[in-house]
Amino acid sequence: MLGEGVFSSDVLSLNGLDDRRKSHAVVGQAEELMADAVRADRAFFSTCGSSLSVKTAMLAVAGPGEKLLVSRNAHKSVIAAVIVNGVDPVWVHPHFDAGRQLAHPPGPEDVERALRAHPEAKGMLLISPTDWGSCADIRGVARVCHALDVPLIVDEAWGAHLPFHDSLPTWGMDGEADLVVTSVHKMGGAVEQSSVFHLRGDRVAVDVLKQREDLLGTTSPSSLVYCALDGWRRQMVEQGGELLDTALRRSARIRAEVAAMPGLRLLDQEAVHEGYTAELDPLKITVDVRELGISGMQAAEWLRTARHVDVGASDTCRISGQITHADADRTEELFVDSLRALVEEAGSLERRPRVLLPEPGALELEQAMLPRHAFFGEAEQVPAEKAVGRIAAEMTSPYPPGVPVVAPGEVITAEVVDFLVSGAAAGLLIPDAADPSMRTMRVVAR
Ligand SMILES: Cc1ncc(COP(=O)(O)O)c(C=O)c1O
């Protein structure tokens, strides 16, 4: 089914791609070239996606029982790291934009306040860009962290393309972050699970990072992943400027078309001018569809079924299409035509039950217990309405974007239950909850 090439290329890393002693430093050389290409001091390939790279990065900065500042709009892999690594998190809450129902990354002032309140914290983890293309003021946050002598980790899973064009938002290494994680299979071009972490300066020691990576990484890395990462680096160094120029012109044309379509609201520079976000990735075409009377999930399902177009993400309010260096005139036309058809057809789509969206601040839950203790302790499954006031023992993350609405150790509120129960009824996917239907929730036993 896959073809012989896949299997014949899937050689072992040692005694295959290289010899037993790694005498040709095949992977090491590719990593050096990557570091050079993206202006990092060091780069390390990872074959387990950013899900594992963020765990390694966090473990290199804060060990069990130590405090780490974490932006609360984090992907579930970051919250999983908090649980697995046994970190004591200090949540830094995002900027919640009630009109757009979007969480944007926190700013330098939020991070400074949290660092001053928790001087023992070992560092900060920021997410930029978000799934929807909203970007943090990385340089501002890095300078605040460095003034207080702690490192900044940036989960830049959605930012693999950023080092290769000046008109794209700030790349973490240029923004003076210490450790940056990317997934090249997302906005770049590589097979799934292709991730890199990048190091700058000496706030995070290379040997500590390597040893902690060794705790988590596989002993059977995929050569296909390594080769795809190396190939991506070479393509970007040789042709990235030109390819991304074309992608940027393409996305500008698409954005202009979408802005003129009735019932669609594009996430655009207005969100920057209103002070919610520092920068936006123009290659993310994030479109609110609520005025069409449908949810983003319905829009995504219709686009896939009727038009064979898969969008990168969808939630209750919106969809997000991704334009990359790999798009062509054909995919541009198909995307624009399909959105036009969606606007025309939306009226005939089934009306789904209303989702009770949370108000600003309603997602800032009280942390009553260490996430690790809440997750591994004794738990019970209770009806959702009885979960109000109880401490969560699980992650509950609508996917996408996979940001937990409730993390273990947080006190569940009525607003959160209303949102999750109404969301599940309207088609929100919540795969990590023990009961994805949200009829019951897993809480710490009394
Ligand atoms: C912000 C963020 N960080 C990390 C990850 C995990 O990346 P991966 O799917 O490569 O494991 C994701 C995945 O969507 C993400 O959105």
Side-chain angles (χ1 to χ4, degrees), residues 102-376:
L102 263 187
H104 302 280
E109 61 295 345
D110 307 300
V111 175
E112 181 163 12
R113 209 176 311 118
L115 270 179
R116 292 207 182 278
H118 300 273
E120 68 282 31
K122 297 290 179 190
M124 163 76 197
L125 180 130
L126 190 65
I127 289 90
S128 181
T130 65
D131 278 60
W132 313 109
S134 178
C135 300
D137 173 3
I138 298 179
R139 186 170 287 106
V141 173
R143 291 193 175 164
V144 162
C145 289
H146 297 165
L148 295 163
D149 206 23
V150 294
L152 171 67
I153 308 167
V154 183
D155 174 356
E156 219 160 353
W158 288 102
H161 57 314
L162 301 183
F164 302 108
H165 202 288
D166 289 344
S167 304
L168 288 168
T170 310
W171 160 239
M173 289 284 101
D174 297 338
E176 301 168 25
D178 301 272
L179 200 46
V180 170
V181 169
T182 57
S183 285
V184 177
H185 58 90
K186 293 192 190 297
M187 292 298 284
V191 294
E192 293 287 279
Q193 299 180 206
S194 304
S195 171
V196 185
F197 40 100
H198 311 83
L199 189 62
R200 183 181 167 278
D202 54 11
R203 278 189 193 84
V204 180
V206 177
D207 53 344
V208 171
L209 179 64
K210 278 184 150 178
Q211 285 209 315
R212 299 200 178 176
E213 196 267 339
D214 189 49
L215 287 182
L216 299 174
T218 173
T219 48
S220 309
S222 161
S223 294
L224 291 171
V225 169
Y226 284 162
C227 292
L229 284 169
D230 193 38
W232 155 255
R233 184 270 314 156
R234 179 169 169 165
Q235 185 183 23
M236 281 299 109
V237 168
E238 291 182 350
Q239 303 157 23
E242 197 185 317
L243 287 169
L244 288 167
D245 248 355
T246 308
L248 282 162
R249 278 201 300 276
R250 199 180 291 295
S251 83
R253 283 195 298 271
I254 297 174
R255 299 178 83 83
E257 294 272 5
V258 173
M261 288 185 203
L264 299 186
R265 189 173 172 207
L266 186 67
L267 177 63
D268 59 13
Q269 286 301 316
E270 227 178 277
V272 178
H273 300 145
E274 289 167 10
Y276 282 116
T277 179
E279 293 181 276
L280 279 182
D281 182 353
L283 298 187
K284 289 267 188 178
I285 316 283
T286 298
V287 185
D288 194 316
V289 297
R290 280 177 291 171
E291 272 178 40
L292 296 178
I294 57 170
S295 68
M297 287 95 73
Q298 279 181 290
E301 280 160 17
W302 186 87
L303 286 167
R304 181 178 160 89
T305 316
R307 293 282 162 153
H308 303 282
V309 170
D310 281 318
V311 286
S314 63
D315 72 2
T316 314
C317 306
R318 78 209 98 238
I319 54 171
S320 176
Q322 285 159 210
I323 299 305
T324 72
H325 65 290
D327 276 289
D329 292 348
R330 190 182 62 79
T331 57
E332 175 183 339
E333 277 159 31
L334 178 64
F335 186 42
V336 172
D337 286 351
S338 303
L339 287 178
R340 211 172 272 127
L342 173 72
V343 171
E344 278 161 25
E345 295 291 323
S348 64
L349 295 181
E350 172 205 347
R351 300 291 113 162
R352 296 241 174 107
R354 196 166 71 89
V355 178
L356 302 171
L357 295 168
E359 292 294 320
L363 295 176
E364 296 181 12
L365 305 182
E366 180 198 340
Q367 177 84 41
M369 213 171 161
L370 266 188
R372 184 190 185 101
H373 292 163
F375 186 85
F376 289 113

